[in-house]
């Protein structure tokens, strides 16, 4: 074979190779639509398209707190895993005072979903739609370490910190005020516990898993005086006019539970599996 003949042969082989690869390459996009159909076929109505914007009171560890300007916690990881199942690549947490989460969601335009350790309650469910429950919770009463108290009897003339607009505040209103306590409202749980450490209030009523996290640090000098079995369940919340999003969140949550990812996230933040 002449020099040119060899070159021509190489070129022919090259072209054939490219053709074969090309055909093989064509079969890859053919497989892609099959993958896409795993994602919900609906076009989700979102405040910012392609992103799930989440409203949250980010002073409620270990469910949500700010690490610099990055939100972290159980709700943050769970919402992220659900969004992935929904086919939404990006999740952005926006901080909002707990008390204003529902009216802001209702007003629209700021966030798509609430993930904020929010208890599913009939009066709230009139305003917004809740997902299926994702966490079981109770209330608790925390005081400075050292005393022994009966709750509610020994709360007479005590100043009790509560978080405005929460189930803890409702429980304290119904059970501690009649026993003679004065309630002091705070905008979030962290502020209430800070006031307790500073001696500005005598006790704090708050969701048990959050209190358990606070008292873990012995340097804070706080103890859980009472566990209060209110039998609450947390749910994510969406606007009543976004049933497609509610379905996507519920479907995503059941997939995350079925895959075992829920348990992995639970262990990461609580050290053990849900009881
Ligand atoms: N679970 C409580 C409620 O829904 C408190 C939630 C919170 O403070 N983030 O009222």
């Amino acid at each position: 074979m002449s020099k040119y003949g060899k070159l021509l042969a190489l070129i022919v082989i090259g072209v054939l190779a490219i053709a074969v690869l090309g055909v093989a390459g064509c079969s890859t996009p053919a497989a892609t639509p099959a993958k896409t159909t795993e994602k919900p076929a609906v076009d989700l109505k979102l405040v910012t398209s392609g992103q799930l914007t989440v409203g949250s009171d980010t002073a409620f560890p270990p469910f949500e707190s700010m690490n610099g300007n990055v939100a972290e916690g159980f709700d943050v990881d769970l919402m992220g895993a659900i969004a992935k199942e929904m086919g939404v690549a990006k999740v952005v947490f926006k901080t909002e005072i707990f008390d204003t989460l529902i009216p802001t969601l209702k007003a629209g335009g700021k966030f798509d979903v609430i993930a904020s350790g929010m208890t599913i309650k009939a009066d709230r469910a009139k305003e917004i739609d809740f997902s299926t429950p994702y966490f079981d919770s109770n209330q608790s009463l925390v005081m400075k370490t050292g005393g022994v108290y009966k709750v509610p009897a020994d709360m007479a003339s005590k100043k009790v910190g509560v978080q405005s607009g929460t189930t803890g505040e409702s429980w304290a209103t119904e059970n501690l005020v009649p026993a003679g306590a004065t309630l002091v409202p705070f905008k979030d749980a962290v502020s209430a516990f800070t006031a307790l450490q500073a001696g500005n209030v005598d006790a704090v009523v708050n969701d048990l898993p959050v209190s358990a996290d606070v008292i873990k640090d012995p340097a804070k000098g706080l103890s859980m005086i009472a566990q209060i079995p209110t039998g609450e369940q947390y749910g994510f919340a969406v606007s009543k006019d976004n049933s497609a999003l509610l379905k996507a969140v519920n479907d995503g949550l059941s997939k995350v539970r079925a895959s075992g990812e829920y348990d992995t996230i639970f262990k990461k933040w609580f050290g053990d599996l849900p009881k």
Side-chain angles (χ1 to χ4, degrees):
M1 214 183 266
S2 73
K3 204 173 166 192
Y4 290 109
K6 264 188 197 162
L7 190 63
L8 191 68
L10 277 176
I11 290 170
V12 168
I13 289 166
V15 166
L16 278 175
I18 288 166
V20 168
L21 282 176
V23 169
C26 282
S27 68
T28 315
T32 314
K35 234 183 171 182
T36 317
T37 51
E38 284 170 20
K39 307 295 178 199
V42 282
D43 242 343
L44 293 173
K45 193 168 71 181
L46 300 170
V47 168
T48 303
S49 81
Q51 142 181 340
L52 192 67
T53 312
V54 184
S56 184
D57 158 30
T58 53
F60 202 60
F63 292 93
E64 40 267 329
S65 57
M66 295 308 290
N67 186 352
N69 53 10
V70 178
E72 62 175 26
F74 177 83
D75 285 348
V76 180
D77 285 352
L78 186 56
M79 205 70 252
I82 291 170
K84 216 192 253 170
E85 291 294 348
M86 286 163 51
V88 178
K90 197 172 165 198
V91 179
V92 173
F93 268 68
K94 283 210 173 144
T95 297
E96 186 81 37
I97 303 288
F98 187 81
D99 215 6
T100 59
L101 279 166
I102 291 177
T104 308
L105 178 66
K106 268 188 85 176
K110 209 161 170 200
F111 46 80
D112 307 299
V113 55
I114 296 171
S116 201
M118 184 177 274
T119 302
I120 301 172
K121 276 182 79 188
D123 56 342
R124 291 174 179 168
K126 282 187 196 142
E127 311 281 314
I128 39 96
D129 280 344
F130 280 108
S131 71
T132 48
Y134 69 87
F135 196 96
D136 292 337
S137 190
N138 285 304
Q139 290 300 313
S140 63
L141 187 133
V142 176
M143 293 178 81
K144 280 195 174 167
T145 303
V148 179
Y149 298 91
K150 281 199 207 81
V151 179
D154 296 339
M155 291 301 116
S157 76
K158 293 273 185 286
K159 279 201 266 177
V160 180
V162 291
Q163 201 187 337
S164 294
T166 63
T167 47
E169 180 183 52
S170 306
W171 183 87
T173 304
E174 283 159 29
N175 296 279
L176 302 187
V177 172
T182 308
L183 301 192
V184 182
F186 290 90
K187 70 173 169 51
D188 58 49
V190 171
S191 322
F193 286 114
T194 304
L196 177 58
Q197 273 184 275
N200 297 334
V201 292
D202 304 303
V204 165
V205 171
N206 207 267
D207 290 22
L208 193 148
V210 173
S211 299
D213 193 64
V214 169
I215 63 160
K216 252 186 352 206
D217 177 5
K220 290 195 172 144
L222 302 176
S223 295
M224 203 183 290
I225 302 295
Q227 299 195 8
I228 303 156
T230 46
E232 296 173 44
Q233 288 188 304
Y234 296 164
F236 300 115
V238 304
S239 163
K240 281 203 177 285
D241 63 10
N242 206 344
S243 54
L245 180 59
L246 180 66
K247 186 181 180 315
V249 169
N250 280 336
D251 289 351
L253 177 58
S254 46
K255 282 183 194 159
V256 168
R257 280 194 190 274
S259 72
E261 201 175 353
Y262 180 97
D263 289 350
T264 306
I265 297 171
F266 196 102
K267 276 191 213 153
K268 174 179 167 189
W269 292 102
F270 299 100
D272 210 349
L273 281 180
K275 275 152 217 136

